[in-house]
Amino acid sequence: MTGRNGRPTAPAAVGDGLRLRAVRDTGLSAHPDAGMDRFARLVKEVLEVPAALVALVTADRQILPGLAGSHAPWARERSLAAPLALCGGVVDGGDPVVVERARAAAPGTDATPGGAGSGGHAAADPVALAPEVQAYAGVALTDRSGRVLGALCALDNRPRAWSGRELALLTELAAACGAELRLRIAARRREEVHRDEAAARTRADGLARRSENALARSELLLRAADALADTTGLAEVDRQVHDLVTLVLRPVHVRVMVDDGGVLRRLTPEPAGTGGSRVPLGERHPAALAARENRIVTVSGGGEMATGYGRRVAAEHRALGLETVVCVPLPGRAGPLGVLVMGWDRPYEVDDPERAVLAALAGYTARAVERALFVENRVDVARQMQEAMLTDLPSVSGLQAAAHYRPAADIDMVGGDWYDLYRLPSAAQGGEDAEGAATVAATIGDITGHDMRAATLMGQVRSMLRQADLDHPGTGPAHVVSAFEHANRALGLGCSGTLVHAHLRLCPPPDGSSWELSWTNAGHPPPLVVLPDGRVEQLVDHGALMHPGVAVRRRDAHRHVLPPGALLLLYTDGLVEHRGGDLDVAIARTGSFLATRREAPLPELLTELVDAIAGTAADDDIALLALRVPADGS
């Protein structure tokens, strides 16, 4: 709408006195505010727009306490003279305003958007005063009574079709920003009450403290819901709960304990000398009582602790310097899952509102613990399955062999790394060796992924390669791998990854102590050969990695003779690929280390190699297979 002078006039909603008072009570002005700037940055990053802002509408202008985007309009003034610009339509109608292509309005006239998103409110062009802005989306910010104070806005300097997901994200962020504004309004009005009620200051101070406590409790639950939602490990749950509770409630001692076969145990190892790591459920102990009776147990003072739970428990808490102990049961589907234990070094009163907060916090904690236990169990099963497939190596005359497997330092990560070594049938058994010499197959591989599926596929690939070797006697490694890849595509296994598959055949006289190595490499790091004189060769010949969507014609296997004293190392990329490191340099270091220690016992050599190259906390699983031709031919 326009006035007599042709300029936009504010609708009735803009001039509503209660709404204007709520805007004033936010305490925000045309100056940057860290909290509001934070919400603007969130919109800018989540929606990937050049600029975003928090706009509040007063009677005659808009103030922009929150703004993100270094080149955003109005960044210096933080104010607009017209109440309708940008978010007046939001205030007027209360609905989101969406502009997909702005169209400049002639002076003194109304304008309509070039295109409005579905579900949005088409108002007078909200960007008429901002030619730099071509697309706009704004969602209302409301007070406790639903009055629209302003809008959380996303701006683009190009036309843009706003998706439903983007508008949903903007709406969620606006809800959070509105909650912050309501908190500020409440705080501002509480301050006014304090000033106006000087005669009742003592009572007002008490109300303020209770309000602050309620706010802190609400903040604790909001943070807990967010922080514990994505935890997967028990140690992470323990750390998050400790940090959350300590920040708000200020206890000096926090621990989460879970029921482990009738004994409460701490999620993570207890620091030395603190005691209480394991508490039988039948024991006279506040934590055990809370779990048995499924209720919050509070103990204040050493006398009450000694009287109710005995001198030993009282001494344990006295050693921790605790004056008040609160134990909250963690609710589970079949009874308490465990207990959240908190202790203060001063008298601490738990009132009814705080009991409700602690019960809600215990619920969040219990869900996080259940999820972490589930993940931990799955990871443990996968690890056991993975390690069970890494069988003992066979004894092969004229060849020394050793293997080493080290899981990643991240206990939640399960890999598809494996090694394998097995004898191939002789000619009399239908094998490839026409002269009956010993022949073995060796494999090192890494299936894509770090989860249960990767570990399961690893076992299938390992077995299928063995089967292919036995079903295709007289063929080489390339043919065996091709046979597996055909089965992978035909059966829809969906397996991808890298491997080296090799055959080692004892050479006939006069080189009867040497071994002929033939291999095929499907995208895997190059095997290393250390010759008797210490020279290191990288067997760099390789083909494409395994992938079900790519049919690869494997070339005939490459060949190399291993004389007496030679050492062959097959390894997975966890040994040489490290964040921020150079792969080629790590492979070269591996070869140098092998050359200097080539005569060491193989198990000892592999352990030292992993420590030297990957360190004690590897980023990925590591599998190694070493084969050495004895120098004396034994």
Side-chain angles (χ1 to χ4, degrees):
M1 72 181 63
T2 58
R4 293 180 181 178
N5 60 359
R7 296 186 62 183
T9 60
V14 173
D16 177 73
L18 293 177
R19 192 196 71 81
L20 292 175
R21 182 191 174 196
V23 172
R24 183 204 68 188
D25 287 345
T26 63
L28 298 170
S29 63
H31 293 89
D33 177 86
M36 297 299 104
D37 280 346
R38 187 179 304 113
F39 281 107
R41 285 197 303 272
L42 281 172
V43 172
K44 180 177 180 295
E45 294 171 6
V46 172
L47 271 62
E48 298 181 351
V49 292
L53 52 86
V54 177
L56 300 181
V57 179
T58 67
D60 59 352
R61 61 177 183 149
Q62 290 184 57
I63 57 175
L64 310 177
L67 192 147
S70 59
H71 60 284
W74 328 287
R76 181 174 300 174
E77 293 81 6
R78 294 274 184 152
S79 175
L80 290 171
L84 284 182
L86 289 177
C87 63
V90 179
V91 175
D92 184 23
D95 296 326
V97 169
V98 178
V99 175
E100 297 182 348
R101 180 185 296 274
R103 189 168 58 210
T109 65
D110 288 344
T112 57
S118 60
H121 174 69
D125 191 351
V127 292
L129 297 181
E132 304 93 336
V133 180
Q134 291 298 308
Y136 165 90
V139 177
L141 302 173
T142 62
D143 68 1
R144 189 182 299 274
S145 299
R147 300 180 186 90
V148 182
L149 310 180
L152 183 64
C153 312
L155 311 176
D156 205 330
N157 54 12
R158 295 179 299 180
R160 180 183 185 125
W162 302 96
S163 68
R165 177 179 178 275
E166 289 174 326
L167 294 178
L169 289 171
L170 184 60
T171 300
E172 290 185 14
L173 290 172
C177 184
E180 173 69 14
L181 292 176
R182 291 191 287 275
L183 287 174
R184 293 187 183 213
I185 292 170
R188 178 71 173 264
R189 290 175 178 174
R190 186 169 64 243
E191 292 172 1
E192 291 178 355
V193 169
H194 291 172
R195 289 193 300 267
D196 296 341
E197 298 181 355
R201 187 166 300 278
T202 301
R203 183 176 61 87
D205 288 345
L207 288 173
R209 284 194 298 272
R210 287 195 292 273
S211 296
E212 290 169 0
N213 289 339
L215 184 61
R217 293 161 181 161
S218 299
E219 182 181 359
L220 171 61
L221 292 182
L222 288 173
R223 291 186 178 184
D226 182 57
L228 296 175
D230 298 325
T231 54
T232 57
L234 293 175
E236 185 182 6
V237 172
D238 192 63
R239 183 177 64 255
Q240 290 283 10
V241 171
H242 178 277
D243 293 347
L244 288 165
V245 173
T246 302
L247 180 65
V248 177
L249 303 180
R250 309 291 184 185
V252 296
H253 181 76
V254 181
R255 64 173 178 252
V256 180
M257 307 187 78
V258 293
D259 183 357
D260 184 8
V263 175
L264 293 174
R265 66 167 176 85
R266 184 168 177 175
L267 286 185
T268 54
E270 191 85 11
T274 56
S277 295
R278 300 179 67 84
V279 177
L281 282 176
E283 184 176 300
R284 289 176 61 196
H285 194 285
L289 181 63
R292 287 198 307 270
E293 299 187 0
N294 194 20
R295 65 180 178 88
I296 297 177
V297 173
T298 302
V299 185
S300 298
E304 182 180 346
M305 183 69 73
T307 301
Y309 303 99
R311 293 181 178 178
R312 184 185 63 80
V313 177
E316 172 189 306
H317 287 83
R318 188 166 54 252
L320 294 172
L322 303 182
E323 178 68 20
T324 305
V325 176
V326 178
C327 302
V328 187
L330 305 179
R333 294 179 178 84
L337 184 70
V339 179
L340 170 61
V341 180
M342 295 164 288
W344 288 261
D345 57 0
R346 66 188 190 281
Y348 188 86
E349 180 182 354
V350 180
D351 55 18
D352 288 340
E354 187 151 305
R355 284 177 175 269
V357 170
L358 292 177
L361 175 62
Y364 289 135
T365 303
R367 301 292 79 76
V369 168
E370 285 181 330
R371 183 170 58 250
L373 288 171
F374 175 76
V375 171
E376 186 179 80
N377 181 63
R378 284 175 58 88
V379 171
D380 187 56
V381 169
R383 285 260 186 239
Q384 293 180 30
M385 179 183 69
Q386 185 179 26
E387 293 175 7
M389 293 177 184
L390 303 176
T391 53
D392 294 336
L393 303 182
S395 176
V396 179
S397 179
L399 199 62
Q400 297 174 356
H404 185 87
Y405 173 77
R406 179 177 293 182
D410 185 349
I411 62 172
D412 293 338
M413 188 168 65
V414 179
D417 296 34
W418 90 97
Y419 59 80
D420 201 6
L421 182 69
Y422 51 91
R423 295 188 187 88
L424 291 175
S426 65
Q429 298 169 310
E432 64 173 299
D433 191 349
E435 300 182 14
T439 306
V440 294
T443 310
I444 196 80
D446 184 0
I447 299 304
T448 303
H450 294 96
D451 51 22
M452 176 75 83
R453 182 174 182 273
T456 304
L457 285 175
M458 177 269 284
Q460 291 179 282
V461 175
R462 177 179 175 276
S463 298
M464 292 171 72
L465 281 174
R466 284 189 167 209
Q467 184 70 38
D469 249 328
L470 295 176
D471 284 349
H472 297 274
T475 62
H479 185 88
V480 171
V481 173
S482 296
F484 158 72
E485 290 178 307
H486 172 72
N488 184 34
R489 293 190 298 273
L491 298 177
L493 296 181
C495 176
S496 62
T498 67
L499 63 78
V500 171
H501 186 61
H503 289 173
L504 290 95
R505 172 181 174 274
L506 188 61
C507 295
D511 298 323
S513 296
S514 298
W515 289 75
E516 182 186 60
L517 169 70
S518 59
W519 79 95
T520 189
N521 186 327
H524 202 77
L528 298 176
V529 174
V530 182
L531 298 173
D533 60 5
R535 287 182 295 121
V536 179
E537 296 184 2
Q538 297 184 22
L539 306 184
V540 295
D541 294 318
H542 69 279
L545 57 76
M546 300 182 301
H547 193 280
V550 179
V552 179
R553 183 179 180 84
R554 299 289 173 193
R555 296 172 52 194
D556 291 339
H558 313 287
R559 298 184 181 276
H560 194 285
V561 174
L562 304 178
L567 172 65
L568 169 68
L569 177 70
L570 307 176
Y571 55 95
T572 57
D573 57 5
L575 177 68
V576 293
E577 280 193 355
H578 313 129
R579 285 190 292 267
D582 186 284
L583 177 63
D584 293 333
V585 170
I587 293 175
R589 285 182 57 217
T590 301
S592 298
F593 185 91
L594 289 173
T596 58
R597 297 282 291 144
R598 62 185 180 277
E599 296 180 359
L602 288 183
E604 177 183 318
L605 171 62
L606 295 184
T607 300
E608 294 176 352
L609 175 65
V610 173
D611 290 342
I613 304 301
T616 56
D619 299 332
D620 196 358
D621 288 0
I622 299 172
L624 306 177
L625 178 61
L627 301 169
R628 181 164 57 198
V629 181
D632 58 5
S634 61

